[in-house]
Amino acid sequence: YVFGTKLYEGGALFINVNDPLDPNVEGGYSADSYTHDGQIVIYDGPDSVFKGREILFGSNSNGGEDNQIIIIDVTEKSRPIKISNINYSFSGYTHQGILTEDQKYFFLGDELDELQYGSPTLTRVFDLSSLSNPKLHLSYFGGVNAIDHNGYVVGNKFYLASYTGGLRVLDISQVENKNLIEIGFFDTYPSNNNPKFNGAWNVYPFFKSGIIAINDIDSGLFLVKASDKDE
């Protein structure tokens, strides 16, 4: 799955790589224009209508007012079917989102809302109990004003690269009760937490060792691990 090419208006492009020496385009989705990022899963969430289908959750933005999440059934690559889309207020740039492991909630990062509206770091959480009728569940504001970039879920934790705020780690075990708690952070850009494009650009929290890789724009690679008292 490739996003942002010159094909399909910059939307999702589906490439068959079963034969790595002869990849071929099987289809794409252009109806909602440019997709910046996306997550594709074999759906096993709470909406029984789509069990076993291949579903794409796309973060779409044209850099203007057209910011949205799109939910597309891509089981048949030559005939993708739109299930729904999510618009939200005070949007800046729909950048990236991730599902919880039970596929009930979707954590969205908008890259420009802090900069444009002056809010603390904002993560929007959507309830996807019904893929045809998704709803905003929670707006979580962090303790700093840094811009959020990429975030990932591992178990009951959400790991967020938050530019000047560094790595932020949230306990999301009580997300159903609209209760998220920051349980740790590592500030790779300690000089300030202003909404600027410096600092932690991405994180990788999937190593079995528990080590977390942080990609910092200004300072390079950091490898960190939770202290014993937090494990």
Side-chain angles (χ1 to χ4, degrees):
Y1 296 87
V2 181
F3 308 110
T5 73
K6 293 182 179 180
L7 301 175
Y8 292 94
E9 304 296 329
L13 182 66
F14 316 136
I15 302 176
N16 187 328
V17 294
N18 281 295
D19 181 354
L21 297 179
D22 186 26
N24 61 88
V25 174
E26 287 197 355
Y29 181 79
S30 62
D32 290 294
S33 190
Y34 175 73
T35 298
H36 187 75
D37 205 342
Q39 182 181 12
I40 303 94
V41 300
I42 302 300
Y43 185 73
D44 191 29
D47 191 337
S48 59
V49 174
F50 298 99
K51 288 275 189 180
R53 306 292 291 179
E54 192 165 353
I55 306 297
L56 182 151
F57 300 84
S59 297
N60 279 41
S61 181
N62 64 1
E65 296 181 356
D66 188 16
N67 300 292
Q68 61 180 324
I69 303 162
I70 58 170
I71 303 177
I72 312 295
D73 186 332
V74 297
T75 307
E76 298 180 43
K77 303 300 181 292
S78 62
R79 194 173 66 92
I81 300 170
K82 184 174 182 177
I83 300 170
S84 63
N85 67 293
I86 307 170
N87 296 107
Y88 56 95
S89 58
F90 299 103
S91 65
Y93 192 96
T94 308
H95 179 261
Q96 181 261 354
I98 200 79
L99 293 164
T100 51
E101 291 189 350
D102 62 5
Q103 300 181 355
K104 183 177 180 180
Y105 298 101
F106 187 80
F107 282 63
L108 175 69
D110 184 304
E111 192 175 5
L112 295 181
D113 50 1
E114 294 87 4
L115 188 62
Q116 293 180 357
Y117 303 108
S119 75
T121 309
L122 171 56
T123 301
R124 293 172 176 85
V125 182
F126 294 90
D127 185 336
L128 303 186
S129 297
S130 168
L131 296 187
S132 301
N133 187 30
K135 298 178 180 179
L136 180 65
H137 178 68
L138 168 67
S139 293
Y140 170 80
F141 292 94
V144 297
N145 293 327
I147 297 170
D148 52 327
H149 203 238
N150 283 51
Y152 303 97
V153 169
V154 179
N156 285 322
K157 294 184 176 68
F158 178 61
Y159 298 84
L160 178 65
S162 193
Y163 277 111
T164 58
L167 164 70
R168 320 302 292 200
V169 184
L170 304 182
D171 180 342
I172 62 172
S173 60
Q174 297 299 313
V175 62
E176 188 167 0
N177 300 322
K178 300 183 178 181
N179 184 25
L180 306 182
I181 302 172
E182 184 175 287
I183 56 173
F185 69 92
F186 188 90
D187 193 350
T188 60
Y189 191 83
S191 59
N192 64 68
N193 294 315
N194 296 333
K196 301 188 302 182
F197 298 105
N198 298 97
W201 172 260
N202 209 346
V203 298
Y204 187 85
F206 301 105
F207 292 117
K208 292 182 179 180
S209 63
I211 291 174
I212 303 163
I214 307 171
N215 180 6
D216 184 282
I217 294 172
D218 302 273
S219 303
L221 174 66
F222 289 79
L223 298 176
V224 302
K225 192 174 183 180
S227 58
D228 291 340
K229 65 179 182 180
D230 296 324
E231 288 185 328

